[in-house]
Amino acid sequence: MLPKMEEVIISAIIGEILSRSVSFLIEACSKRMEPPPSEPESLESLRLLLLRLGAVVEDAEGRSITNQPMLQQLSTLRHELQRGHFTLDTFRCHAHELNKAPPVDHESGQHSFALSRFNPAKRLCICSGSGERSRDLQRVIASLETSIQNATEFILLSGRYPRLTRQPYSMYLLVDKCMFGRQMELELIIKFLLHGEQDLGAEHLGVLPIVGPTNVGKSTLVEHVCIAERVREYFSQIVLLGGGDLVDKDTEALPAGAGVIKHENRAESGGGRVLIIVELERDISGDLWQRLYSTVKNRFAQGSKIIVTSRSDSIARFGTTLPIRLQFLTQEAFWYFFKVRTFGSVDVVMEHPKLASIAMEMAREMSGCFMGATIFGGMLRSRLDIGTWSLALAAYREFRQRNRFVSCQNTVDPWALSRPLLLPAMNNVSPGYFVVVKPPTHGDGPAPKVSVQDVILGRARPQGKFTALACRSHIPPHYNYVFSCEQRM
């Protein structure tokens, strides 16, 4: 009796497995037979997904999130959002390129308005067939769908954090007035400052190195740390030191009164703790650093901290914790930054598709350089005409061609190089070229009356050697970036 029962059970199990297998095969075959969604349908799906994900990211960025795993997840969602926008704009520009007539050169004949054959939209068309492009688009959509599905718990948890005060009311102001994409690094620094001594012990002084190339945003990041209320309440004093404030002799490394006091608590809060910010423009010896370390440790109260910033990775050896390394933005993130900061809330791809195509090419040429985005984005923000943008793109291409040492596959900041830079004018009024003979200097002193934009556009005609304002930071510390220039024929 029992063997027959076992045979019945086994037969039932086998039958169920076969039934499910056949159903799975039928469903898979039916999905293959269904026609794939058209490109316009896929782009509309992508647009709607970006709206949903954008709402999640914008709400989270408007809250004071301090949990590190939450910040990492927010960083991942932000990356997916930027990648999706880059893909959507690339496909839209590509669709426009297929339907547009050949571009016409400017009547002056000095600069061609034709877009490069390496335009992101065209490059996608050249390098991939329509089938591969469609698969790339579907992969981006699937990745966004997965991110949104997995963000349910993140949405619930982020809603428990308090909102930041005085938040801007549009993404344009958020990008223009606040740091872009550094929220996780900001919270890492603040966590180190407020809680780092628990891991070090009373006999140690906490040191955090911040490493990154010139103009990547080290000073801006540190400035946002210094103006955070949590930091100001914790430290009695915040002091900024430059390399010149350190005495490289066999004496005390930090003379009394050296540096600039950025903040001082007049109340008794802070417990005598001091935050020392050291901005290094060159390497320093290990002996000088040890004397500085000992001076700060002996002179100031327990819980004092040091943040040291430099372009050189060699300062990492001075840290009591892992360094924070800042890099320039990815291509997708930089396009998102450049588009929002230049065009604001305007859907430039829908309203000005030709302009968007030029803007994407310009963003690619800039290779993630904030200085270039600030100079050209600010210059072109109020000039939404194809002629001016085409001239600007031609001028920037000529700049890259005449300064070949800035053209490489890696992300670079061309303004940071020590070799002179040759900048062409976008007009026939100012003949020849003006040369940037030194890397930009920054400070909060009075700005030159002549700007780089004035010279490029021909509104100013300086002669010989002169200084020109490259840009003024829109966010603290509101530095003026100044070029030392020379007019050459």
Side-chain angles (χ1 to χ4, degrees):
M1 188 71 180
L2 288 176
K4 290 185 178 180
M5 181 63 70
E6 291 177 354
E7 290 177 2
V8 171
I9 294 174
I10 293 173
S11 299
I13 293 174
I14 294 176
E16 180 66 19
I17 293 174
L18 289 174
S19 176
R20 293 191 178 189
S21 300
V22 171
S23 300
F24 174 78
L25 291 174
I26 293 174
E27 184 178 355
C29 291
S30 63
K31 285 185 177 180
R32 287 188 177 184
M33 294 177 63
E34 292 178 358
S38 64
E39 187 170 294
E41 292 173 340
S42 297
L43 291 178
E44 179 63 14
S45 298
L46 177 58
R47 186 186 70 84
L48 295 175
L49 287 171
L50 290 174
L51 286 176
R52 293 176 59 189
L53 185 58
V56 174
V57 171
E58 187 171 347
D59 180 78
E61 287 179 337
R63 297 181 180 275
S64 181
I65 299 176
T66 56
N67 181 272
Q68 294 303 315
M70 290 280 291
L71 289 171
Q72 290 177 354
Q73 189 170 358
L74 175 59
S75 180
T76 301
L77 294 176
R78 190 187 294 117
H79 173 74
E80 289 291 331
L81 179 69
Q82 293 161 355
R83 178 190 177 202
H85 275 288
F86 181 80
T87 302
L88 178 64
D89 293 341
T90 299
F91 270 82
R92 283 176 167 180
C93 288
H94 169 64
H96 172 71
E97 289 293 316
L98 294 179
N99 298 325
K100 75 178 182 65
V104 180
D105 285 353
H106 190 262
E107 59 183 4
S108 67
Q110 297 299 320
H111 300 283
S112 172
F113 287 7
L115 293 183
S116 168
R117 62 188 296 268
F118 299 107
N119 180 287
K122 292 186 176 182
R123 186 170 67 253
L124 187 63
C125 178
I126 293 171
C127 297
S128 305
S130 59
E132 182 63 28
R133 288 201 314 275
S134 178
R135 284 189 289 272
D136 289 339
L137 179 58
Q138 295 305 319
R139 279 193 287 267
V140 172
I141 291 175
S143 180
L144 281 172
E145 289 175 339
T146 302
S147 297
I148 292 174
Q149 291 172 1
N150 295 337
T152 304
E153 184 176 322
F154 173 83
I155 296 171
L156 293 174
L157 293 176
S158 65
R160 298 179 181 180
Y161 287 91
R163 289 194 174 276
L164 297 172
T165 58
R166 298 189 301 276
Q167 276 298 292
Y169 53 83
S170 71
M171 179 56 69
Y172 167 75
L173 290 178
L174 184 66
V175 172
D176 201 40
K177 298 296 183 183
C178 302
M179 279 190 308
F180 181 77
R182 301 291 191 203
Q183 188 175 4
M184 184 168 65
E185 290 85 352
L186 178 70
E187 289 298 333
L188 281 172
I189 298 174
I190 293 178
K191 181 180 179 181
F192 163 80
L193 294 177
L194 303 188
H195 308 292
E197 73 275 1
Q198 298 174 359
D199 302 324
L200 295 172
E203 69 279 4
H204 288 88
L205 172 68
V207 180
L208 172 64
I210 301 178
V211 185
T214 302
N215 295 331
V216 77
K218 300 185 294 295
S219 297
T220 301
L221 176 60
V222 172
E223 181 71 19
H224 276 75
V225 170
C226 293
I227 64 177
E229 287 299 324
R230 289 175 287 168
V231 174
R232 294 197 166 201
E233 291 174 358
Y234 187 78
F235 292 97
S236 296
Q237 252 188 8
I238 300 176
V239 181
L240 173 65
L241 297 176
D245 293 315
L246 306 181
V247 179
D248 197 4
K249 299 177 182 177
D250 193 17
T251 59
E252 190 175 57
L254 181 60
V260 177
I261 298 178
K262 297 181 65 65
H263 174 72
E264 187 170 15
N265 271 330
R266 296 183 179 179
E268 296 182 358
S269 61
R273 293 180 291 264
V274 175
L275 171 60
I276 305 290
I277 312 295
V278 183
E279 292 187 344
L280 298 177
E281 296 182 358
R282 57 183 178 84
D283 288 339
I284 63 172
S285 65
D287 291 339
L288 176 59
W289 177 260
Q290 285 301 323
R291 283 188 280 117
L292 171 65
Y293 183 89
S294 299
T295 300
V296 175
K297 180 181 174 182
N298 296 330
R299 184 184 299 179
F300 302 114
Q302 179 185 346
S304 297
K305 298 290 175 61
I306 298 178
I307 295 177
V308 55
T309 68
S310 175
R311 298 189 297 264
S312 173
D313 196 61
S314 63
I315 68 164
R317 71 184 190 274
F318 301 142
T320 59
T321 186
L322 292 175
I324 292 179
R325 292 183 169 86
L326 301 183
Q327 300 294 335
F328 288 106
L329 300 180
T330 63
Q331 185 182 20
E332 295 86 356
F334 186 74
W335 164 242
Y336 186 82
F337 168 81
F338 184 76
K339 179 182 71 170
V340 173
R341 193 175 185 281
T342 304
F343 301 108
S345 58
V346 176
D347 189 347
V348 65
V349 182
M350 291 298 292
E351 298 187 21
H352 307 281
K354 169 70 173 179
L355 200 61
S357 187
I358 299 174
M360 289 198 79
E361 175 68 357
M362 183 173 288
R364 188 190 70 84
E365 292 278 354
M366 289 178 180
S367 301
C369 175
F370 282 114
M371 183 73 73
T374 302
I375 292 176
F376 282 87
M379 183 173 62
L380 300 171
R381 179 184 296 172
S382 60
R383 295 167 171 260
L384 299 183
D385 63 279
I386 295 175
T388 302
W389 275 78
S390 298
L391 283 173
L393 177 57
Y396 202 89
R397 282 183 182 151
E398 189 171 353
F399 159 71
R400 293 294 295 263
Q401 183 178 3
R402 290 183 176 274
N403 303 277
R404 293 184 181 277
F405 57 91
V406 306
S407 301
C408 63
Q409 294 180 351
N410 298 323
T411 301
V412 297
D413 178 9
W415 315 103
L417 302 179
S418 57
R419 296 174 58 177
L421 297 176
L422 194 62
L423 280 170
M426 286 170 44
N427 60 87
N428 297 323
V429 177
S430 298
Y433 301 86
F434 73 97
V435 181
V436 179
V437 296
K438 293 181 181 179
T441 58
H442 63 271
D444 54 4
K449 295 182 180 180
V450 177
S451 70
V452 172
Q453 292 93 329
D454 291 334
V455 182
I456 292 177
L457 293 173
R459 294 192 297 248
R461 309 178 194 180
Q463 301 298 321
K465 297 181 179 180
F466 62 97
T467 58
L469 176 66
C471 62
R472 174 174 169 80
S473 175
H474 295 270
I475 52 182
H478 299 296
Y479 285 146
N480 293 317
Y481 290 83
V482 179
F483 285 159
S484 295
C485 305
E486 182 179 328
Q487 186 72 27
R488 296 181 185 177
M489 297 298 293

